[in-house]
Structure formats: structure tokens, C-alpha cells
């Protein structure tokens, strides 16, 4: 007996030892998992904060040092090959120091500068070429307005001699020249792709360089020749590149929610979050294999049946009760007649009629007819179904039939005495 008990206890001891060894490993795995989740949350928060607080990346469009499709490095290199000196300036405060009498100022739309800063910068340049346009630029230098026309091709068709050998271009934007402003590369409605204005001592030209002078479009049509005609008339080009960091626009920012929040709120929120995380780790559910546990009480099937019956009676739902009674009778008759589990009620009715040797269709109304409308009809139908089951049992097992008179069904499906 002692040997048997020891042999029976040995596997349990091994299992306990293995369980004790597995618990530390499972605890470490959970801690590592939580650590990975916390690190991922911290990393995602840092990346989101970086994306929100970082200034927009601007300045690549028409940048003389930009190698991309929207840059203008190709045009700057062509100017250098033609003997012109190209100086790139990224601060508007340094532009005036780079300008002299033989210098051309080139720049894209200075959206980050005030009107005063733009006019002050252009005032010191004998020749200015605006490589991009906006309604503000047209208004600031009184060059004209935007025009809706966009011809497929346009030639110089103006009195400016430097455009004589440019050929044709496909402009991206057209303008209506103001009074005293020359328009070149015109369309049928008189709009022009290049505007030339100013005075004898100060010349200002404007063209939509986003589709003419960028690296992706410079080799098309006469775009390169037009760029040389605008920028290559002097021996030196000062190319100003606007940027968000060079803006002189200042203003008072509205108070944010963080500025209006007292200083103790953020530490309190962090403390609550840490407390919630600690509580979740302390009282959280430990995931593991499912454990089968027996119920403290045993619920008998008869109690469930009686409970459903009481609910049906309380609701006075005779059709629902009749459907349940019929379903049970059909299922039991199908088993007794060896018809299978998925047989329909009308098939059971025909099989029972054949077994009782009564005409087919006699039991169709009883097993698959309309439901009763009141309790009296429900009781009558239940009695007839019970008598039908007794009759089928008697027909299937005549040796086990009781010697006392029992009920049978007449050709119309009603019970009769034997």
C-alpha cells in the first residue's frame, strides 16, 4: 500500500515542481510584454509630438540647390556654364549686402515675408525676376491680374529683345498686364505668360516658374532659353530662397489649453495614470489556460422545462407553446420511426399514417397545421399528440402494448377506443 501511494504521489510532485519552475518564467514574460507596450507608447508619443511641433518643410520648390523635380538646380548650373555667378541667399537681411549695379535678384514667392520686407529687398535690385506668382505679388508691384486663358503654345510676340530667340513655351499660368506693363508670350485674349514692368532704373519681371524652370520641366520646349533670357542678362545672380525660418511676420499667439491650465494639473494626471497602471497590474486578470470547474448546484432538466412553461403561460403565448410541443413530438416520432434528425414534420406525419394504416394527410393538420389560438385548443392539441405517440408505440411494439383498452386514431385522426 505504501509503494502504491508513493507511486501515485510521484507524478503530482513532479507536476508541482514544474509548475513552480514555470511561474517565474511566466511572470518574467508578462513583465517583458508590459515593458514592450510601455516603450511603444512612449515612442509613439515622441514621434507624434515631433511631427506636431516640427515646422513645415518648405523651400524645396525652385531652390537653386534642390536636385528634385521641383528644384531649380539645373537652371542654376546652366547659368554658371554661361559665365554667370549664382549666389544663393537664404536670409532676406543678407540680400542687400549682395546686390550691386550688375546683379539680378531672383526669388520665388516670398510668402513668409511682410510687404515691407519684400519691397525693401527689391528696392536695392536693378533687375528682379519673380519666379512664381500670387495675387499678392501682382498687387504689390502693380503688374496686373491673373487671367483664365491657358494656350497650348505661346511665342514671345513682344518688343523685348532678349526673348527673340526663345521660341515657343507651354505656360502654366497667364496674366492680364496692367497699364504700362509689357506682356510677352501672349494668348488670343491678350493675356501673357511673362510680365515685364518697372522703370528704366529698376526692371521687374514675373513668370510662373513652377512649370517652366524646375528640373522636371526645364528641358521642355524653350523653357531653358527663357530662363537664360530672364536671368542671364547680367554677370551675377543673387537667388533668394524663402523659408519658414526666415520669416519676419510676428504676432501674438492665442493662449492654448496648456497655458491656461494650472501647473499642478499635469503632475496630477500623470500620477493618476501611473496609479491606474499599477492597479491594473496588481488586480488585473492573469491570463492562462482555462480551468473546468463544476457548478455548486445541479440544475435538473425538468426545472428548466417547468420554468419555460411558466414563462409561456404567463405570456399567454399559445402558438409558441404549441410549436414547442409539436417540435418535441415530431422529434420523438422521427426517432421511433427511424427517419433521422432533419426530417420535416409532413414527412413524419406521412410515415406515422403508414405505420397506423390510415390515409396519408390525416395527420398533416395535427403535426404541421395552424397553431391554436387559445389555451383550450392548445390542451386539445397536446392531448391528441400524446395519444398519437401512444398509438405509434403500440403499432411498433404490439407485444409491449397494455392489455387494458387504449386509444387509437380513426381515419380522420381522432382518438377511438380499441
Amino acid at each position: 500500500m505504501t509503494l502504491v501511494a508513493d507511486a501515485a504521489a510521484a507524478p503530482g510532485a513532479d507536476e508541482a515542481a514544474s509548475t513552480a519552475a514555470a511561474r517565474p518564467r511566466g511572470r518574467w514574460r508578462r513583465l517583458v510584454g508590459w515593458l514592450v507596450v510601455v516603450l511603444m507608447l512612449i515612442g509613439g508619443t515622441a514621434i507624434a509630438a515631433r511631427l506636431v511641433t516640427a515646422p513645415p518643410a518648405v523651400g524645396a520648390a525652385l531652390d537653386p540647390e534642390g536636385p528634385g523635380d521641383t528644384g531649380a538646380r539645373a537652371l542654376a548650373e546652366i547659368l554658371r556654364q554661361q559665365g554667370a555667378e549664382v549666389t544663393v541667399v537664404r536670409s532676406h537681411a543678407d540680400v542687400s549686402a549682395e546686390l550691386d549695379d550688375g546683379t539680378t535678384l531672383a526669388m520665388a514667392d516670398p510668402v513668409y515675408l511682410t510687404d515691407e520686407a519684400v519691397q525693401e529687398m527689391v528696392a536695392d535690385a536693378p533687375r528682379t525676376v519673380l519666379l512664381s506668382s500670387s495675387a499678392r505679388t501682382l498687387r504689390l508691384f502693380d503688374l496686373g491680374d491673373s487671367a483664365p486663358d491657358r494656350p497650348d503654345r505661346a511665342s514671345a510676340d513682344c518688343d523685348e529683345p532678349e526673348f527673340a530667340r526663345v521660341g515657343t513655351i507651354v505656360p502654366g499660368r497667364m496674366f492680364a498686364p496692367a497699364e504700362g506693363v509689357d506682356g510677352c508670350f501672349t494668348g488670343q485674349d491678350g493675356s501673357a505668360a511673362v510680365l515685364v514692368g518697372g522703370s528704366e532704373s529698376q526692371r521687374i519681371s514675373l513668370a510662373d516658374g513652377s512649370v517652366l524652370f524646375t528640373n522636371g520641366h526645364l528641358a521642355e520646349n524653350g523653357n531653358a532659353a527663357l530662363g537664360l533670357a530672364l536671368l542671364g542678362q547680367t554677370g551675377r545672380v543673387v537667388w533668394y530662397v524663402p523659408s519658414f525660418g526666415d520669416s519676419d511676420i510676428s504676432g501674438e499667439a492665442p493662449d492654448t489649453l496648456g497655458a491656461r491650465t494650472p501647473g499642478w494639473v499635469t503632475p496630477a494626471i500623470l500620477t493618476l495614470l501611473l496609479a491606474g497602471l499599477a492597479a491594473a497590474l496588481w488586480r488585473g486578470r492573469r491570463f492562462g489556460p482555462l480551468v473546468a470547474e463544476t457548478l455548486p448546484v445541479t440544475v435538473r432538466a425538468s426545472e428548466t422545462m417547468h420554468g419555460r412553461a411558466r414563462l409561456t403561460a404567463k405570456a399567454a403565448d399559445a402558438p409558441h407553446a404549441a410549436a414547442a410541443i409539436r417540435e418535441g413530438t415530431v422529434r420523438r416520432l422521427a426517432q421511433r420511426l427511424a427517419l433521422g434528425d432533419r426530417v420535416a414534420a409532413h414527412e413524419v406525419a406521412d410515415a406515422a399514417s403508414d405505420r397506423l394504416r390510415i390515409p396519408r394527410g390525416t395527420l398533416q393538420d395535427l403535426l404541421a397545421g395552424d397553431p391554436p389560438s387559445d389555451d383550450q385548443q392548445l390542451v386539445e392539441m397536446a392531448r391528441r399528440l400524446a395519444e398519437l405517440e401512444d398509438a405509434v408505440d403500440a403499432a411498433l411494439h404490439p407485444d409491449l402494448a397494455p392489455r387494458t383498452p387504449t386509444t387509437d386514431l380513426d381515419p380522420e385522426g381522432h382518438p377511438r377506443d380499441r
Side-chain angles (χ1 to χ4, degrees):
M1 295 295 293
T2 305
L3 294 176
V4 174
D6 294 341
D14 294 341
E15 183 179 358
S18 63
T19 303
R23 285 178 180 175
R25 291 197 297 269
R27 186 180 297 109
W28 278 110
R29 283 197 296 267
R30 287 194 295 271
L31 291 177
V32 171
W34 279 108
L35 181 61
V36 171
V37 172
V38 171
L39 291 177
M40 291 178 62
L41 290 176
I42 294 176
T45 304
I47 294 174
R50 177 64 178 173
L51 293 176
V52 171
T53 58
V58 293
L62 292 172
D63 189 338
E65 297 178 346
D69 290 341
T70 60
R73 184 174 181 177
L75 180 57
E77 292 299 328
I78 292 176
L79 290 171
R80 292 189 177 99
Q81 293 175 4
Q82 297 298 320
E85 179 186 355
V86 179
T87 303
V88 180
V89 180
R90 299 185 182 273
S91 173
H92 70 281
D94 299 335
V95 172
S96 299
E98 298 290 341
L99 296 176
D100 54 32
D101 294 339
T103 303
T104 299
L105 173 63
M107 63 178 174
D109 187 12
V111 294
Y112 302 108
L113 298 180
T114 60
D115 294 349
E116 293 77 9
V118 175
Q119 292 176 341
E120 181 181 355
M121 185 170 52
V122 173
D124 298 332
R127 295 176 64 94
T128 302
V129 178
L130 302 174
L131 301 177
S132 59
S133 60
S134 64
R136 175 206 177 198
T137 306
L138 294 171
R139 172 188 55 81
L140 196 60
F141 298 104
D142 295 329
L143 296 176
D145 297 317
S146 298
D149 186 25
R150 183 179 178 181
D152 295 336
R153 288 184 177 275
S155 56
D157 193 20
C158 64
D159 297 334
E160 302 296 332
E162 58 265 31
F163 300 144
R165 299 183 179 181
V166 171
T168 60
I169 62 172
V170 179
R173 186 177 178 186
M174 302 294 287
F175 311 97
E179 184 178 357
V181 176
D182 294 336
C184 298
F185 301 92
T186 58
Q188 296 180 356
D189 60 348
S191 59
V194 179
L195 300 180
V196 180
S199 59
E200 295 181 358
S201 59
Q202 187 180 36
R203 174 190 172 109
I204 300 177
S205 304
L206 181 143
D208 185 14
S210 59
V211 295
L212 295 174
F213 305 137
T214 58
N215 298 332
H217 297 281
L218 187 65
E220 299 173 358
N221 305 305
N223 296 348
L226 178 60
L228 287 174
L230 288 172
L231 300 175
Q233 300 302 315
T234 59
R236 189 164 179 266
V237 177
V238 175
W239 200 314
Y240 170 68
V241 182
S243 63
F244 180 81
D246 189 44
S247 176
D248 67 331
I249 300 175
S250 61
E252 295 182 358
D255 291 340
T256 61
L257 181 61
R260 296 175 178 269
T261 303
W264 58 268
V265 173
T266 301
I269 293 176
L270 293 177
T271 303
L272 291 176
L273 289 177
L274 292 176
L277 180 60
L281 294 175
W282 172 48
R283 302 293 295 176
R285 178 179 177 181
R286 299 297 188 266
F287 294 101
L290 297 178
V291 179
E293 296 183 2
T294 58
L295 293 176
V297 295
T298 301
V299 180
R300 298 179 180 178
S302 59
E303 296 183 7
T304 304
M305 179 185 66
H306 292 161
R308 293 180 60 186
R310 284 192 293 269
L311 291 176
T312 304
K314 185 177 180 180
D317 191 359
H320 183 76
I325 296 173
R326 275 178 171 170
E327 182 181 357
T329 301
V330 170
R331 184 175 63 254
R332 289 189 293 272
L333 289 177
Q335 293 176 355
R336 294 168 185 172
L337 297 173
L339 297 179
D341 297 334
R342 299 184 179 181
V343 66
H346 64 88
E347 297 178 358
V348 175
D350 293 340
S353 300
D354 295 341
R355 176 60 63 179
L356 297 176
R357 297 181 180 180
I358 60 177
R360 286 197 172 191
T362 304
L363 303 177
Q364 293 290 339
D365 184 64
L366 180 60
L367 294 178
D370 296 332
S373 58
D374 53 18
D375 293 343
Q376 184 177 359
Q377 295 181 5
L378 175 63
V379 173
E380 177 64 21
M381 187 198 73
R383 184 182 64 82
R384 293 178 60 190
L385 289 174
E387 293 173 349
L388 173 61
E389 292 189 47
D390 293 341
V392 171
D393 288 340
L396 291 174
H397 306 286
D399 298 337
L400 301 178
R403 295 180 181 181
T404 57
T406 184
T407 56
D408 196 358
L409 299 179
D410 58 13
E412 296 182 357
H414 296 285
R416 64 185 177 183
D417 295 334
R418 283 186 176 181

